[in-house]
Amino acid sequence: MGDFGGRVSKQGVNVLTGADKDMLWTTKLRGLNIRAKGIANATSFNFAHGLGYKPAFAGYIKDATPTHFLNYHHAPFDGYQFENTTYGDIYTDGTNLHCECATANKLVYLCYLNPANGGSGATSPAASKDHGLRMSNDGVDVLTGEDGQMLIHSKYQSPLIILADAITVNVSAISADPGFTVRQSDFTDYTHGRAQANHIIMPDLYSSVMFAYSTEPSGLGPDYIVYDVEVSIDATKIRVRVSAVASSSFATISANAFTYSPKFFLTNIILPT
Amino acid sequence: MPLDFGIKLTIEGYEVLTDTTPEHHSVWSKYKNLKMMDDPGTWPTSVTILSGNFNVDYTVTHNLGYQPLFDLYFEDLDGRMVHIPGGSLDTYGTNGRIVSETTNAITARLGRASSGYPSNVTYSVFHYVFVDPNDPAEY
């Protein structure tokens, strides 16, 4: 049976037969759209998103450089030589995207148009006569569907993946004798070639054992080695830092050197400064 | 003028005919848009941390055959939508984190380190799984 809609394949892929994952976009699948982005200019801050549902979002901690740190929410287990020591909270409800941080002008938010719960949404930010382009997903009326149901909507920017690669950090060997705690930190800088810091996606950062949370049950014995990772992006580079702490009470504990290579996907969405 | 093919859509304020900065575009067939897979109807919608336990793991099985890009959320007891990884501000201060991935599934954990939960606590969970691979070679 034939299918209807539109799809654009990446170079080298047959648009008629290629898999969905090889499409640049397809009306079969929903995309992401940015509703708004900004900086929380108060320790307790609300952005009234006007959507009537709880939107998806992303966040960063920003310093004065400005450098944007991907982990905005969790202090590391140890974080030796980490460049950021401030953390906060971001959440959404049906009215606001809310930021909480002990220091103002640190939390950066990206508020998506898309509902976090995957639903169709309740309202569009501004219902009025308008010009532009909208393309709906399969099953959604392009004339009456909510903005959050659109695949493409010229009123909103969609994240495009403009650069994808991996950054390799050579993590040094570490060793601690009984009664000693040893710390070390290694990092690698990757020149991204943009004129500013853009929104970056790094799922490897959070799904690896390299991300140790200070509030997690550690299950650590008297002798342990823990690694923490800090990732930041500024106007010229992406920095991946791996810090380690080795602590020994009874027996020498050591770990060999290894390489850590998280993958990243840099988007076209400029981060607020 | 060199010929080029494809589709471009710039954001307001930028000339679509001449602009070559990806940051000024919403659609450009030179670059991939992220594409969400539809919920197959089998993904978990809620998870329960049992009384006395510190956490619970749950799995989002996508069966893509590769590790995709994704975005996970949970709704805390006060109705706040919290990103995973991230922490809630509800009475239990529940945190969410990613535990592991295979080529067909993502496992996440909700819980806390301070103490076991005093009673069964249920959270709603939500998932964005993109068909776009976690593999730079695919872009």
Side-chain angles (χ1 to χ4, degrees), chain A residues 75-82 181-184 212-214 224 226-228 243-245:
Chain A
F77 181 84
D78 191 89
Y80 175 63
Q81 291 189 346
F82 270 25
T181 295
V182 176
R183 292 180 170 84
Q184 67 181 36
Y213 294 80
S214 63
Y224 62 82
V226 174
Y227 297 91
D228 286 300
S243 297
V245 55

Side-chain angles (χ1 to χ4, degrees), chain A residues 165-170 202 204 240 242 258-264:
Chain A
D165 205 343
I167 302 174
T168 296
V169 181
N170 294 313
M202 286 186 80
D204 289 355
V240 178
V242 178
F258 63 95
T259 57
Y260 174 59
S261 298
K263 299 180 284 292
F264 73 87

